[in-house]
């Protein structure tokens, strides 16, 4: 029996890139975190320390900054496509290049109803994400949202579940539903108007979450994914991760105070971990 | 020479509280982190383990939830005042009660220009903070903003500083200025329309940051603090912490590409740490 | 074209469990984080909000604490096996149960060469991990180490790599090699003396890292995996993730000071991300 | 009434420095995070943007690396003293220089009872800290420990405390006591054998924590501080912060299982926050 390398993958992670695009009357500011990962004919690099086919991760980092000048003007997915194309076309030993991007959005400050031309405030934790995978001529683009903190104070229940000897949870017809939503969808082709689609899908996710009468996080998750697929023919499938960040009514009754779903303990841990993938048949 | 207790302080930290205020046509959702800290006649508790004057931190936590029902309806500063008042008036051994509050703001989702009545999205990392200190009848209220991520892409320079043998920084007349601003101001009296003032002060900080022609972070900080004092007579003093989150132009010239302040390395560490306190004479 | 649920999975994450095992002359203290994840016949839960087959995540959490009394006495892998067995045997709708465990180790304090019977100090960030997957009768156990911070100050070089127009890195025959190693290995069967094997494998990983003459992180990674497989016949395969936490020589020469690999900038980001899977043929 | 600058302070934070000291038969590896903070005659820098007296934070960072070659050979406190001396003696406008250091300890890996000469494993989260303050000729050195995670499974009780209408906590004569201890002590003079003292004080803290019969965290804290002062005449005073990281017995009785202080919920938040300063009279 012999021991050998199976999968290999290496790249540069957490490359912090910011970019100013200077328009006549205002600046556009972008801030991205970029990861690269290459796979390919690297067996002797691992087994013998032969670096002759290794494109150093430092060079991958430099390439990100170098290509940002010409290619990071519009959708970050297009920038990712240029990077993946660069790595595969210049390095025949690379069979698969993966570029992962995450954008930390900044909004122009607004004064007297007018956006200031060059002063910004962070949009917060929410991030726009994308992953570009190129294997030979095959290219896959997926986009997503991460750390989208959303919450509703009603229209959420959880009832009729299994009771077993370890059940202590009480059924509720009215609870807070809070989640740090992560959604990732795959486009049918790599030519898309990515920014327009991103805004549309984000809106669908929020609208469905808001108007849905939730019987469980699972059901809400499915409805959100279904709505995205129904409204966007170029989205092939969508995966959602919706941790249930519990807000638990505090027992005020023990102090003779009524708590009609008014005062809660907000908890971080433990949390329900609900995921699902919604596809077209 | 004898060994003795000098300062003492104990309380409960990181009490996570959420609150729904149910109006006729919409819900108001609030999420706070609350800390309490008591000082007083606790010497024998420390030196001999005599707990007879100790109000347990668990009880302090329960008190936060119990008082939230009646007292967390408007400004969180008023909730903090009620808590400080409760601890000092019910516990004669307490000489000083400090309540620290931090609010994680949530905004109603907006669809077709209308706020949804009970669906929310997080405002992000920015937090509204407050500290209430009660010592006998003396009460001090300070409020603030934390983790306010703001940035401007121009109108910031840094020149004419000291050059010494370890200087390598080059002067620049045009750089990105980015900071994770923390501001804390003290009110002259504990009776204020806290929420209105908070919004006004926040707006002054943003406006001054945006329109200021910065010669240094120090200068920007002072101007921001000065503007707050000038526009708000009930603010006695303000302290600002403005770490300089450097965005460093990437050297594209080494690749034959021009970088006219377009492509930057965004850095987290190290960072310039700039602070100052602005007062009335 | 119809839209449907593809994969589903839900459970409780970040259940924080601690356990005292009381021996005659000393206490054993254990601290674990446990996640559960169930998959199965949950389609109508997602598509229609039918909860009748849903075992709530709250009940999964309770089960973890309930079974800890009887089953968390020895290896945590055996505790995970009991949990997976419980969920699958009591819930016919569950086709796959996954239990993920992470142990934060504590060591008895030592005074005058003797371990104290009930006082402990944390071992730090390093964690022992395990994942148990049960699908019908098929059971897979994998174990691992996470956040193992290791470093060597020499016997590491990086040379002879590709040079392209974006190369700026200089070859080095002597550098610091630092990583936050994560290793995960799969056992051939679920009956093992897990704790003995864990200690042996950990030792092999450290020894190989220490004595290896590294030509690249890739080569070091492969050698570490290979050594584990060679010395442990019941380990089927091993995956390693070894981010390259760069320590970059600071340019002291610009100040007229020699830097013979003595003074470095320790960086967190960006980092090289090196992974590989080593298997038996 | 005029508005003016009161306190000012600026510097560089989070400078990540690593250092190899090359001995004949082994390497010594050190990893520090260093902060600098200057105060002084900087009023016009804040009020008018006059940078002529400003030593840039970038130069402060360079100075840290430059001085590390000659001055970071032994105790990091001595390195901090050299830095504070450098900043004050070369910059007459600086009235106060503060240097804060934090060391992340690494231990030589041990094989067959022998330390490996150049392979290391991290000591974990625990850090050795120090703060040097120089104002003219007056120099203060304080040292400390941070993130020291310690725990005892018995010899800790909490009883006889105040009961009020919001009390729900039950008295206990036997509980887990866990804390993430932070201790800071001030030396009477800046000439000390810092490394020897650090090891001795650390040992005293651990030993007192382990053997103490705790009636409350407050009492344990005081006894730890008192022991340090009693055994170290050159320590002038010591401050301790000991958050109470609660481990709460899980209610197994509701499932018909006995829980004799065996199974606990380990909690992060909220936590008791216990502090105190112990001094010589």
């Amino acid at each position: 029996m012999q021991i050998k390398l199976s999968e290999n993958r290496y790249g540069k992670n957490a490359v912090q890139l910011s970019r100013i695009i200077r328009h006549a009357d205002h600046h556009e500011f972008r801030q991205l975190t970029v990861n690269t990962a290459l796979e390919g004919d690297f067996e002797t690099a691992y087994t013998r320390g032969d670096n002759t086919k290794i494109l150093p991760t430092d060079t991958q980092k430099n390439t990100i900054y170098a290509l940002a000048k010409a290619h990071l003007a519009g959708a970050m997915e297009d920038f990712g496509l240029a990077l993946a194309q660069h790595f595969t076309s210049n390095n025949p030993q690379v069979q698969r290049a993966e570029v992962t991007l995450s954008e930390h959005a900044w909004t122009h400050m607004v004064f007297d109803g007018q956006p200031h031309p060059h002063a910004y405030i962070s949009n917060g934790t929410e991030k726009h994400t994308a992953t570009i995978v190129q294997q030979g001529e095959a290219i896959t683009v997926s986009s997503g949202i991460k750390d989208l903190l959303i919450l509703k104070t009603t229209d959420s229940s959880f009832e009729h579940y299994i009771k077993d000897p370890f059940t202590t949870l009480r059924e509720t017809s009215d609870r807070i539903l809070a989640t740090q939503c992560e959604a990732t969808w795959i486009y049918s082709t790599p030519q898309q108007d990515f920014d327009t689609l991103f805004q549309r899908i984000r809106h669908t996710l929020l609208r469905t979450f808001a108007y849905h009468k939730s019987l469980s996080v699972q059901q809400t998750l499915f409805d959100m994914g279904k709505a995205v697929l129904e409204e966007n023919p170029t989205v092939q499938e969508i995966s959602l991760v919706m941790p249930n960040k519990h807000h638990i009514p505090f027992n005020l009754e023990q102090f003779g105070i009524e708590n009609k779903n008014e005062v809660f303990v907000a908890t971080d841990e433990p949390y329900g971990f609900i995921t699902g993938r919604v596809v077209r048949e």
Side-chain angles (χ1 to χ4, degrees), chain A residues 36-107:
Chain A
T36 57
L38 308 180
E39 294 178 37
D41 180 12
F42 296 117
E43 187 159 356
T44 57
Y46 281 77
T47 58
R48 294 205 309 254
D50 169 9
N51 293 328
T52 53
K53 291 180 179 165
I54 290 283
L55 184 73
T57 66
D58 188 75
T59 307
Q60 296 177 39
K61 177 203 70 183
N62 285 348
T63 306
I64 291 168
Y65 290 106
L67 269 65
K69 168 78 184 255
H71 294 280
L72 181 56
M76 72 172 177
E77 285 86 350
D78 290 319
F79 175 49
L81 284 164
L83 281 165
Q85 175 66 26
H86 174 93
F87 289 125
T88 49
S89 63
N90 287 280
N91 294 279
Q93 80 282 21
V94 171
Q95 282 145 17
R96 183 182 188 279
E98 180 175 314
V99 179
T100 310
L101 310 109
S102 174
E103 181 155 7
H104 318 262
W106 293 82
T107 308

Side-chain angles (χ1 to χ4, degrees), chain A residues 114-250:
Chain A
Q114 295 299 315
H116 188 281
H118 60 255
Y120 303 80
I121 184 163
S122 168
N123 276 15
T125 50
E126 183 187 336
K127 284 178 270 303
H128 174 182
T129 60
T131 302
I132 316 300
V133 175
Q134 178 154 3
Q135 287 186 283
E137 294 307 302
I139 299 173
T140 309
V141 178
S142 55
S143 295
I145 301 186
K146 215 180 154 178
D147 296 329
L148 176 67
L149 290 160
I150 50 181
L151 177 151
K152 56 198 293 184
T153 52
T154 188
D155 283 352
S156 167
S157 65
F158 188 50
E159 298 172 296
H160 314 305
Y161 45 74
I162 290 174
K163 315 294 180 300
D164 82 2
F166 298 139
T167 304
T168 56
L169 186 73
R170 285 198 273 180
E171 302 203 329
T172 175
S173 60
D174 191 11
R175 62 171 183 173
I176 291 178
L177 177 54
T179 189
Q180 183 163 350
C181 181
E182 180 174 346
T184 316
W185 53 89
I186 303 176
Y187 289 111
S188 52
T189 70
Q191 282 80 38
Q192 304 288 340
D193 179 356
F194 294 110
D195 280 344
T196 303
L197 284 164
F198 176 79
Q199 289 305 334
R200 200 157 80 191
I201 291 166
R202 183 181 182 279
H203 184 266
T204 300
L205 291 169
L206 294 183
R207 196 199 61 225
T208 311
F209 177 82
Y211 287 100
H212 178 74
K213 309 284 182 195
S214 175
L215 299 172
S216 68
V217 178
Q218 284 86 339
Q219 189 210 13
T220 305
L221 180 153
F222 181 77
D223 260 29
M224 289 167 70
K226 186 161 164 264
V228 168
L229 292 189
E230 282 172 349
E231 298 175 17
N232 295 282
T234 64
V235 173
Q236 207 177 298
E237 63 168 71
I238 181 167
S239 293
L240 289 135
V241 181
M242 288 177 59
N244 192 352
K245 311 290 271 183
H246 308 293
H247 293 246
I248 300 164
F250 189 86

